[in-house]
């Protein structure tokens, strides 16, 4: 009797979590649902809650990139909110994706978008909740039934080593040039033994597979050297996309349930040419590339149409870059948004880029608070 009660409670908790997920989806504009059949299935994870993750443009860029590929389908997964986390653990329900509520362990790939090293413990939490095996070695023992775990993003590019035992492959650099090659490799290597698949992934420029590299340490614990397995490159080269023209860098999904609620995030430029030693943006995203004014405006207009069709309301716009007003046409972009009666704000800018025209445009766009970095650059 007590056992039956326990099972019913487990089912109730899992159902409650699934209902919450469906409610969230109903409030989103831009969600993609694609049939899984025959495609490489990605569960794209952000190692924090939905509220935090949905304000991350990197996650959204990867979501769009993968779902735009014919051979791939991508669904999202987040760290559950604290009360849900407890319930899921109590109900022993494996973590599932938002879009189709499919358990993560049924996907071909679990891909993490890593922006902050402070989120690394949450990566382990998601691996554990998903039941896919915590370490690469455990997944090797699963004889091909565990997803390949991949990580990318600025933190993965800058410092992958703390997660080297837990991640099967890192993307070093930008997703745009590497992801199509990963999809192609995974699509062609279905049914092959896991070590073979990892070898093929390691052959892609910009992909680092830690299990093919062995670190050696000095008696004081500092690194002596790293030896690569035969056939593996000694140094993994960072990849970047020279021309961002064909890659829309705006939000794929807009939702009210996030820090930047009901806001289209739009990247106006990538990287920064000032090279301050302490700054990731000044090193991980070189060379600096400004997106064409017309492309930024068109991408925002396309997304605005989609949001207005779904909500009946005009969204706000957030212009993103390491220093927005370093973009040569930033003022023209702002004026175009004002003309289209869109409220906008910016992520940050260097103090010496501000002038009266820019401040006037920010005021007309409804901007109230500005982050400037007087000590930098
Ligand atoms: S100017 Fe700012 S964004 Fe550019 S490298 Fe320096 S700190 Fe980073």
């Amino acid at each position: 009797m007590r056992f039956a009660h326990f099972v019913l409670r487990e089912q109730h908790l899992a159902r409650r979590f699934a209902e919450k997920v469906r409610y969230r989806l109903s409030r989103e504009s831009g969600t993609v649902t694609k049939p899984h059949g025959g495609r490489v299935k990605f569960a794209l994870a952000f190692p924090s809650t939905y509220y935090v993750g949905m304000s991350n443009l990197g996650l959204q860029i990867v979501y769009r990139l993968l779902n735009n590929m014919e051979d791939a389908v991508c669904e999202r997964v987040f760290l559950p909110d604290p009360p849900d986390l407890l319930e899921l653990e109590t109900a022993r329900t494996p973590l599932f994706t938002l879009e189709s509520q499919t358990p993560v362990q049924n996907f071909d790939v679990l891909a993490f978008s890593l922006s902050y090293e402070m989120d690394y413990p949450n990566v382990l939490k998601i691996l554990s909740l998903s039941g896919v095996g915590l370490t690469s070695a455990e997944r090797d023992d699963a004889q091909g039934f565990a997803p390949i775990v991949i990580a990318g993003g600025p933190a993965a590019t800058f410092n992958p080593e703390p997660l080297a035992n837990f991640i099967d492959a890192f993307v070093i650099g930008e997703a745009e040039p590497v992801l199509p090659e990963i999809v192609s490799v995974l699509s062609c290597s279905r049914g092959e033994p896991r070590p073979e698949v990892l070898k093929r992934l390691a052959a892609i420029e910009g992909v680092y597979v830690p299990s093919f590299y062995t670190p050696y340490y000095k008696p004081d614990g500092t690194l002596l050297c790293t030896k690569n397995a035969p056939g593996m490159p000694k140094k993994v080269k960072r990849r970047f996309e020279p021309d961002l023209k064909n890659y829309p860098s705006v939000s794929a999904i807009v939702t009210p349930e996030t820090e930047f609620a009901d806001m289209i995030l739009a990247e106006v430029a990538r990287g920064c040419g000032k090279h301050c030693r302490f700054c990731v943006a000044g090193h991980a995203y070189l060379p600096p590339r400004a997106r064409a004014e017309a492309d930024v405006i068109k991408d925002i207009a396309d997304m605005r149409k989609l949001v207005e069709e779904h909500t009946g309301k005009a969204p706000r716009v957030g212009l993103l870059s390491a220093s927005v007003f370093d973009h040569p046409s930033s003022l023209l972009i702002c004026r175009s948004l004002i003309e289209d009666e869109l409220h906008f704000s910016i992520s940050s800018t260097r103090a010496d880029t501000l002038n009266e025209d820019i401040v006037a445009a920010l005021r007309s766009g409804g901007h109230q608070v500005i982050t400037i970095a007087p000590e930098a650059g």
Side-chain angles (χ1 to χ4, degrees):
M1 191 68 177
R2 275 181 70 179
F3 178 72
H5 174 75
F6 181 67
V7 170
L8 279 176
R9 184 175 141 72
E10 278 185 2
Q11 287 173 346
H12 170 71
L13 293 177
R15 211 169 29 240
R16 227 176 58 88
F17 183 62
E19 272 166 18
K20 182 173 174 181
V21 164
R22 284 193 284 272
Y23 175 67
R24 272 196 169 145
L25 289 176
S26 73
R27 304 184 78 198
E28 290 183 347
S29 308
T31 321
V32 178
T33 46
K34 266 171 99 172
H36 287 187
R39 297 193 160 98
V40 181
K41 302 187 290 292
F42 283 77
L44 176 61
F46 191 83
S48 192
T49 59
Y50 177 92
Y51 181 86
V52 176
M54 285 307 292
S55 285
N56 185 282
L57 183 58
L59 178 91
Q60 301 226 16
I61 287 174
V62 171
Y63 182 78
R64 173 183 278 113
L65 199 60
L66 285 168
N67 278 322
N68 278 351
M69 291 181 213
E70 187 47 43
D71 290 342
V73 53
C74 174
E75 302 189 357
R76 292 158 296 154
V77 62
F78 297 91
L79 188 72
D81 298 333
D84 300 329
L85 184 61
L86 249 180
E87 288 194 358
L88 274 183
E89 284 176 326
T90 309
R92 290 175 297 173
T93 305
L95 202 57
F96 49 79
T97 56
L98 261 60
E99 282 78 355
S100 67
Q101 288 112 60
T102 303
V104 169
Q105 58 206 10
N106 293 2
F107 281 73
D108 299 309
V109 178
L110 170 56
F112 284 94
S113 174
L114 301 179
S115 292
Y116 314 105
E117 288 165 324
M118 297 296 277
D119 285 338
Y120 284 4
N122 290 341
V123 170
L124 306 192
K125 191 82 198 162
I126 288 179
L127 285 171
S128 160
L129 285 169
S130 304
V132 299
L134 196 58
T135 62
S136 306
E138 274 178 55
R139 289 188 291 275
D140 284 347
D141 292 343
Q143 316 236 338
F145 292 110
I148 302 277
V149 177
I150 296 178
T157 296
F158 234 64
N159 191 14
E161 282 315 294
L163 288 177
N165 288 339
F166 306 97
I167 301 292
D168 301 325
F170 289 94
V171 173
I172 306 297
E174 297 174 6
E176 285 88 351
V178 182
L179 278 181
E181 295 176 24
I182 289 180
V183 169
S184 164
V185 160
L186 294 177
S187 180
C188 298
S189 52
R190 283 183 191 281
E192 284 189 18
R194 196 176 176 88
E196 277 310 306
V197 179
L198 290 176
K199 244 186 228 170
R200 282 171 175 248
L201 287 174
I204 299 173
E205 192 174 69
V207 173
Y208 164 48
V209 177
S211 55
F212 294 133
Y213 296 81
T214 311
Y216 293 90
Y217 297 95
K218 297 178 201 165
D220 65 1
T222 54
L223 186 68
L224 176 66
C225 65
T226 302
K227 294 238 162 87
N228 47 316
M232 293 299 137
K234 226 176 163 46
K235 201 170 174 184
V236 178
K237 211 172 154 198
R238 177 179 67 87
R239 292 281 292 275
F240 67 92
E241 175 54 51
D243 184 4
L244 294 170
K245 182 163 180 52
N246 295 321
Y247 302 97
S249 292
V250 288
S251 303
I253 296 170
V254 171
T255 173
E257 287 189 49
T258 187
E259 177 68 25
F260 300 132
D262 298 316
M263 182 182 272
I264 297 172
L265 303 173
E267 182 186 46
V268 295
R270 193 174 291 182
C272 176
K274 302 294 176 191
H275 313 304
C276 304
R277 284 306 306 159
F278 56 84
C279 177
V280 172
H283 295 273
Y285 291 108
L286 292 176
R289 285 145 291 160
R291 300 191 69 236
E293 171 200 337
D295 293 342
V296 175
I297 291 169
K298 181 185 177 301
D299 291 346
I300 293 171
D302 289 348
M303 196 59 200
R304 173 190 189 167
K305 190 163 172 265
L306 198 146
V307 174
E308 285 181 345
E309 276 168 12
H310 186 246
T311 65
K313 286 191 307 194
R316 299 178 299 145
V317 174
L319 300 177
L320 306 193
S321 160
S323 175
V324 169
F325 292 111
D326 276 340
H327 189 295
S329 306
S330 48
L331 190 55
L332 295 176
I333 294 172
C334 292
R335 285 181 177 153
S336 160
L337 296 176
I338 294 165
E339 222 166 85
D340 290 341
E341 297 180 356
L342 283 170
H343 278 213
F344 67 90
S345 55
I346 62 160
S347 53
S348 63
T349 197
R350 287 186 304 111
D352 63 0
T353 60
L354 290 173
N355 59 37
E356 275 187 29
D357 287 344
I358 285 176
V359 173
L362 286 172
R363 198 182 51 212
S364 305
H367 206 316
Q368 290 171 342
V369 179
I370 185 166
T371 306
I372 53 173
E375 84 290 3

